[in-house]
Amino acid sequence: MTIARKSVVLVATLCGLALGGCASGDSDTSAPPETTSVPAGTTTSPVETTTSPVETTTESSVVAEPPTQGEVESPQESAVAPPTRTPEEAADLVPGGGGATLQPSLDQPGNVDPATFRTGSDKYNFTSPTGNIHCGIWDADGPEGRVGCQAVDGRNPFEGPQCSMAENDKVAVRVTAAGSESMCTTQGIYVDANAPVLEFGQVLSVEGVVCQSGPDDIIGCTAPTGGFTFSRGINYTY
């Protein structure tokens, strides 16, 4: 009986030792828990940061370069130039007849006494109201023509000789047996110191020639072979 108890005690002791060793082995092999220390205010997951390049557009200021001397507009160029008209266009501006030129007809009766304008044995002379136009009418054709006028200050023809308007180079018009033409004269062949004025509206009809004084100091003369309209701004032959 005593032997049996001792055996039981021995077995129990062995089992207790065995259990203690198992428990001790288990506790040695168990891995300590992993501890992750996270600093306060720090996110553990990485933040993906995308940096987009900032597109900078620089607008360059275009500064106009100052004009060169040749590009500077002169006062003469900047001023509005008067229109340039041909003699025909200028003649169309003559009042009367819907813009028709001052062209008296050969059968137009005169309204002045031709004797008043007689300045020589074979000629008649007159001036325009302002004295800018001087004219002569001859009894027959000659170097001067049957009728002609010259201007102190006149206009050159669109085609034909171009006069300088100097004292010895005045523009003139005449009608010869060959017709009408513009020319330059170096002397006062149509000027006479005793010539009376052919006033506006007056018509001188003599020796087959008719001359009329129109508005704006315009003189129109018609002869059997042609005629002209003449003034400071008009030089028109027909």
Side-chain angles (χ1 to χ4, degrees):
M1 186 71 174
T2 302
I3 296 171
R5 288 180 180 177
K6 289 181 179 180
S7 298
V8 172
V9 172
L10 180 58
V11 171
T13 301
L14 291 175
C15 289
L17 291 173
L19 292 172
C22 292
S24 176
D26 293 338
S27 62
D28 291 338
T29 59
S30 59
E34 294 182 0
T35 304
T36 304
S37 298
V38 179
T42 303
T43 304
T44 58
S45 58
V47 178
E48 183 177 354
T49 305
T50 303
T51 304
S52 300
V54 178
E55 183 177 354
T56 304
T57 303
T58 304
E59 295 183 0
S60 59
S61 300
V62 179
V63 180
E65 296 182 358
T68 62
Q69 185 176 1
E71 295 174 342
V72 176
E73 202 174 38
S74 65
Q76 290 82 2
E77 291 176 345
S78 60
V80 178
T84 302
R85 299 184 177 93
T86 65
E88 291 80 1
E89 291 172 335
D92 287 340
L93 301 178
V94 178
T101 57
L102 185 63
Q103 300 177 9
S105 63
L106 288 176
D107 58 359
Q108 184 171 344
N111 55 14
V112 294
D113 183 3
T116 305
F117 298 89
R118 191 78 174 183
T119 55
S121 60
D122 63 344
K123 68 186 182 75
Y124 303 80
N125 289 91
F126 64 88
T127 69
S128 65
T130 66
N132 184 56
I133 308 297
H134 296 260
C135 302
I137 301 174
W138 278 261
D139 294 341
D141 290 324
E144 306 87 354
R146 175 63 68 87
V147 59
C149 296
Q150 67 186 73
V152 176
D153 181 17
R155 176 187 179 122
N156 282 313
F158 182 66
E159 295 180 349
Q162 302 295 296
C163 315
S164 66
M165 307 303 167
E167 289 300 324
N168 62 345
D169 192 30
K170 296 296 185 180
V171 63
V173 288
R174 67 181 176 181
V175 181
T176 67
S180 59
E181 63 178 351
S182 180
M183 64 178 188
C184 299
T185 178
T186 59
Q187 52 189 319
I189 56 178
Y190 302 111
V191 178
D192 191 289
N194 298 318
V197 175
L198 188 65
E199 299 290 351
F200 168 66
Q202 290 184 337
V203 179
L204 173 61
S205 179
V206 61
E207 303 295 340
V209 176
V210 178
C211 289
Q212 181 178 355
S213 179
D216 300 323
D217 218 42
I218 300 171
I219 299 295
C221 292
T222 302
T225 58
F228 55 79
T229 304
F230 196 52
S231 72
R232 187 185 305 272
I234 299 174
N235 186 334
Y236 179 65
T237 56
Y238 55 91

